[in-house]
Amino acid sequence: MGFGRFITLEGGEGAGKSTQAGLLADALCRSGRAVLQTREPGGAPGAELLRGVLLSGQIDWAAPAETLLHFAARAEHVEKTIRPALEAGFWVVCDRYFDSTLAYQGYGQGADRARIAALSAMVGLTPDLTLMLHVSPAVAVERLGRRGLAADRYERLDAAFHARVNAGFRAIAAAEPGRCSAIDADGAAADVHAAVMTEISRRWSA
């Protein structure tokens, strides 16, 4: 079986990444592809343990330490889950990847962006396609309010932090247009999914 494809979904809080990851994975399955849907931080037993540490808010991590924790989880995820699936011919759909670390820790918290880029290179696996879901602040707030779930540590941070994160995602997409595709995520889930599938069809016959 040939090497699979690696697709990531990125964006700020309330962008609908998890919803769109599920819809994309289902659509790819219906088209006859073997698909693995996963997430970050997490996606492997050790990485899921680190997810709890990172999202709980029990510790106010220094930005460099938090960055390294994300990459420790990522390295475990790649080696235990993503790379084996790709080598088996699966299409991997991942909710967040290294762009989130650059946006949240680099742009949002002020961690060294060059070091984050070096750590991303060290992981040694770049997505074939990154779908950047851009959502307006008002829509994001409304969606988060509808979830009915306790906010995690990042969701509890202030509007200025989230503005820096969203600016970071836009900068990343602008810097890497070959890998990144910007998607307007303000609309209904079905409309956003249609835009995602248009991009998939443009890249590969879906």
Side-chain angles (χ1 to χ4, degrees):
M1 189 176 281
F3 201 76
R5 301 289 186 184
F6 183 26
I7 302 170
T8 58
L9 291 92
E10 296 283 7
E13 305 302 328
K17 295 174 302 302
S18 300
T19 296
Q20 293 303 321
L23 292 172
L24 174 57
D26 289 345
L28 292 172
C29 284
R30 289 194 301 272
S31 72
R33 294 180 173 91
V35 178
L36 172 69
Q37 182 181 348
T38 187
R39 69 176 184 178
E40 289 206 349
E48 289 290 336
L49 286 175
L50 289 174
R51 178 185 179 90
V53 169
L54 285 161
L55 299 187
S56 69
Q58 293 179 349
I59 297 175
D60 183 18
W61 297 101
E66 188 165 333
T67 298
L68 291 171
L69 285 169
H70 275 286
F71 274 99
R74 181 162 300 124
E76 187 76 356
H77 187 203
V78 167
E79 295 306 315
K80 298 288 183 65
T81 303
I82 298 175
R83 198 183 302 278
L86 291 171
E87 291 173 350
F90 281 73
W91 286 48
V92 177
V93 176
C94 188
D95 179 351
R96 296 201 184 280
Y97 193 55
F98 56 45
D99 293 314
S100 278
T101 308
L102 182 55
Y104 277 73
Q105 279 67 55
Y107 285 86
Q109 295 178 325
D112 190 303
R113 297 177 202 168
R115 291 180 180 176
I116 292 173
L119 288 166
S120 297
M122 187 182 72
V123 169
L125 184 63
T126 299
D128 296 293
L129 170 64
T130 296
L131 298 161
M132 287 283 189
L133 304 183
H134 296 311
V135 64
S136 63
V139 172
V141 169
E142 190 271 335
R143 286 178 180 168
L144 291 172
R146 280 195 277 117
R147 283 183 185 174
L149 301 173
D152 68 31
R153 175 175 168 237
Y154 294 115
E155 291 170 352
R156 292 194 296 270
L157 294 175
D158 63 23
F161 169 82
H162 290 291
R164 294 193 298 272
V165 168
N166 289 329
F169 279 125
R170 291 184 184 278
I172 294 164
E176 295 192 59
R179 172 174 68 87
C180 300
S181 176
I183 304 289
D184 181 352
D186 270 359
D191 295 333
V192 179
H193 175 60
V196 166
M197 294 310 298
T198 295
E199 183 60 22
I200 296 294
S201 296
R202 190 178 75 80
R203 303 258 178 161
W204 307 285
S205 296

